[in-house]
Amino acid sequence: MIYTLHYAPDNASLIIRLALEELGQPYRTALVDRRARAQDSAAYRALNPAGLIPVLETPDGPVSETAAILLWLSERHGALAPAPGDSARGAFLKWLFFTSNTLHADLRIAFYPDRYAPGGEAALLAGIKARLASHFALLEAECGRHDWLGGEGVSGLDLYLAPLMRWAQIYGAGPRWFDAARYPRLMAMAGALENRASVAAAIRAEGLGRAPFTAPQPCDPPEGSAL
């Protein structure tokens, strides 16, 4: 089986690309052209009715939702997460879904406030940025305390958090609000990832620049658009 990753440059599909590269699994990519709103097409909605990126086509059918894809891959290939039955799995799942359902969801609000509070974006941003600082602080406190977050190996949670930190530094309305210096453990984890072959492959494929997590710049992809 060769997986098919439906992706857009510098979108959540980056997390799944990194996971596939870490696992050494063969995959092909299918560009979702955001400028043409391809995520709203009938063909894409047949794969993911929610119209969100990414989708991974697998032997079990299409899988969407970033955390769900990471878990599916980790269980299929026995890597990137504590295995079912491992005493560390509960804590890993807690922080993975905190990252997906709370941190990532609030980042979307910060990036697209007009979609969530038309006409009231300023008040919304003030509140959401304070929430995000709290979310990152919680993860900073956990980083390095577990093998699966800033440990010697690489986990799906590491691969999820590093792109979120990238986006927090370069996207969002108004002045840059994310102070990376407040999260040295998370930044060290992200910096270590930049030395891995998986990140080098993603840099080439999506035009992410030389230090996509620690000194990020907007992407310059060979195809497609991040926005």
Side-chain angles (χ1 to χ4, degrees):
M1 171 68 187
I2 297 178
Y3 295 115
T4 298
L5 174 63
H6 295 261
Y7 91 107
D10 212 10
N11 277 233
S13 48
L14 169 61
I15 298 160
I16 306 306
R17 183 193 291 276
L18 292 171
L20 291 166
E21 291 286 344
E22 283 290 336
L23 293 168
Q25 292 299 310
Y27 67 98
R28 61 174 65 93
T29 57
L31 177 68
V32 183
D33 187 350
R34 292 194 59 176
R35 287 177 176 164
R37 298 295 302 176
Q39 65 268 37
D40 293 331
S41 68
Y44 192 76
R45 293 278 179 154
L47 296 171
N48 181 5
L52 298 175
I53 302 166
V55 167
L56 185 69
E57 291 192 64
T58 80
D60 297 340
V63 183
S64 55
E65 298 297 327
T66 303
I69 301 172
L70 283 173
L71 276 180
W72 189 94
L73 286 170
S74 74
E75 293 180 4
R76 178 58 63 100
H77 299 290
L80 300 182
D86 190 310
S87 61
R89 189 166 175 83
F92 171 84
L93 292 177
K94 175 179 74 173
W95 289 111
L96 175 65
F97 283 96
F98 173 82
T99 297
S100 177
N101 297 349
T102 303
L103 173 57
H104 196 173
D106 279 356
L107 276 173
R108 289 192 192 99
I109 297 173
F111 298 158
Y112 307 108
D114 55 310
R115 299 182 186 179
Y116 294 88
E121 293 94 330
L124 177 65
L125 281 171
I128 206 66
K129 289 175 180 178
R131 279 173 52 87
L132 285 165
S134 175
H135 301 338
F136 278 112
L138 289 173
L139 289 158
E140 171 73 9
E142 294 294 322
C143 190
R145 296 179 56 199
H146 315 278
D147 291 340
W148 40 262
L149 177 54
E152 292 184 3
V154 174
S155 77
L157 183 54
D158 296 329
L159 300 178
Y160 204 142
L161 276 170
L164 294 188
M165 295 169 68
R166 165 184 168 77
W167 301 328
Q169 292 175 80
I170 59 176
Y171 295 124
R176 293 186 178 181
W177 55 271
F178 181 80
D179 183 2
R182 295 178 62 183
Y183 314 106
R185 295 176 182 174
L186 291 174
M187 291 302 294
M189 175 274 291
L193 287 179
E194 289 177 342
N195 296 319
R196 298 187 69 86
S198 60
V199 175
I203 287 171
R204 292 191 297 271
E206 301 193 18
L208 301 179
R210 294 178 62 184
F213 308 134
T214 59
Q217 298 294 324
C219 70
D220 182 19
E223 65 173 0
S225 169
L227 303 174

